């Protein structure tokens, strides 16, 4: 559609996922774009643990990555994770605040029991004194061929994002939330 005039997202075909319908002014076309899922799906679940003390270390979120491709498709791997962080007052953290509060960020691969246990789960990434980009994003590059098992068609892997706080913990409500940003850089095949 040229010069999109109206775009609407809804479950148009009734299959439980959002589709896209759009209209264009220049060519008078109304088009429906069915959501066929893509090759992978990513789910993020916020951990219920509160960041409530200086020096706190714990799980911030769980990430589920499912390969939804077809038979014969290449395996996929996480390429990078990208997040924004919010405090308990729902204010997005800037780089200076983030660096003052966060000592390190870690990514672990679940070893199969579904529970975060840093002494058992495989640590993939440890970012010491991480900073945010100018867009206030934390970009976590994932290792290539270092302990990250590719995800085959029909398989799912769970990852944990953990955080260690500095000795200063002064966020409103002493909690953190994160939002994951998905892009073409999230996974590779």
């Amino acid at each position: 559609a040229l010069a999109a005039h109206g775009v609407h997202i809804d479950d148009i075909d009734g299959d439980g996922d959002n589709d896209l319908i759009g209209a264009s002014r220049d060519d008078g076309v109304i088009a429906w774009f069915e959501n066929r899922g893509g090759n992978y799906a990513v789910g993020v679940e916020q951990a219920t643990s509160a960041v409530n003390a200086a020096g706190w270390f714990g799980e911030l979120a769980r990430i589920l990555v499912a390969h939804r491709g077809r038979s014969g498709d290449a395996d996929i791997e996480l390429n990078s994770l990208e997040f924004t962080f919010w405090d308990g007052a729902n204010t997005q953290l800037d780089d200076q605040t983030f660096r003052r509060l966060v000592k390190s960020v870690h990514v672990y691969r679940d070893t199969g029991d579904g529970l975060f246990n840093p002494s058992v789960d495989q640590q993939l990434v440890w970012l010491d004194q991480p900073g945010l980009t100018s867009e206030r994003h934390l970009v976590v590059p994932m290792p290539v061929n270092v302990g990250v098992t590719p995800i085959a068609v029909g398989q799912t892997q769970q990852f944990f994002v953990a955080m260690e706080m500095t000795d200063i913990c002064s966020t409103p409500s002493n909690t953190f939330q994160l939002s994951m940003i998905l892009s073409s850089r999230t996974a590779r095949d």
Side-chain angles (χ1 to χ4, degrees):
L2 302 173
H5 177 65
V7 176
H8 181 71
I9 298 173
D10 202 352
D11 183 10
I12 296 167
D13 57 0
D15 65 356
D17 58 23
N18 285 327
D19 304 301
L20 182 81
I21 192 165
S24 65
R25 182 176 324 164
D26 289 353
D27 57 6
V29 171
I30 297 175
W32 165 47
F33 302 92
E34 180 183 5
N35 182 349
R36 295 187 180 159
N39 274 357
Y40 66 91
V42 177
V44 179
E45 179 181 320
Q46 192 81 32
T48 57
S49 57
V51 179
N52 56 13
W56 177 88
F57 174 81
E59 176 190 355
L60 197 58
R62 297 165 188 245
I63 299 171
L64 285 168
V65 180
H67 192 322
R68 296 171 28 156
R70 298 181 185 124
S71 179
D73 283 352
D75 295 346
I76 61 169
E77 293 179 349
L78 280 179
N79 187 48
S80 67
L81 302 173
E82 192 168 343
F83 304 102
T84 57
F85 290 86
W86 309 83
D87 66 17
N90 207 27
T91 302
Q92 187 177 6
L93 298 183
D94 60 25
D95 182 58
Q96 182 180 8
T97 304
F98 187 80
R99 286 176 185 269
R100 186 171 43 84
L101 298 173
V102 178
K103 182 175 181 180
S104 60
V105 174
H106 308 255
V107 177
Y108 292 83
R109 183 178 150 271
D110 183 16
T111 55
D113 67 359
L115 303 172
F116 176 59
N117 183 344
S119 63
V120 175
D121 293 324
Q122 180 185 15
Q123 184 171 343
L124 302 173
V125 176
W126 176 349
L127 295 177
D128 194 33
Q129 300 177 329
L132 304 181
T133 67
S134 60
E135 293 86 21
R136 296 182 176 192
H137 297 175
L138 174 68
V139 179
V140 181
M142 296 298 287
V144 179
N145 300 323
V146 181
V148 180
T149 306
I151 305 168
V153 172
Q155 299 296 311
T156 299
Q157 277 191 20
Q158 181 168 250
F159 300 87
F160 302 105
V161 178
M163 175 182 278
E164 180 180 5
M165 301 302 293
T166 63
D167 292 335
I168 302 166
C169 190
S170 61
T171 62
S173 305
N174 291 334
T175 61
F176 273 104
Q177 299 175 8
L178 64 78
S179 298
M180 185 169 178
I181 301 164
L182 298 177
S183 71
S184 60
R185 297 181 307 266
T186 302
R188 65 178 165 256
D189 56 12

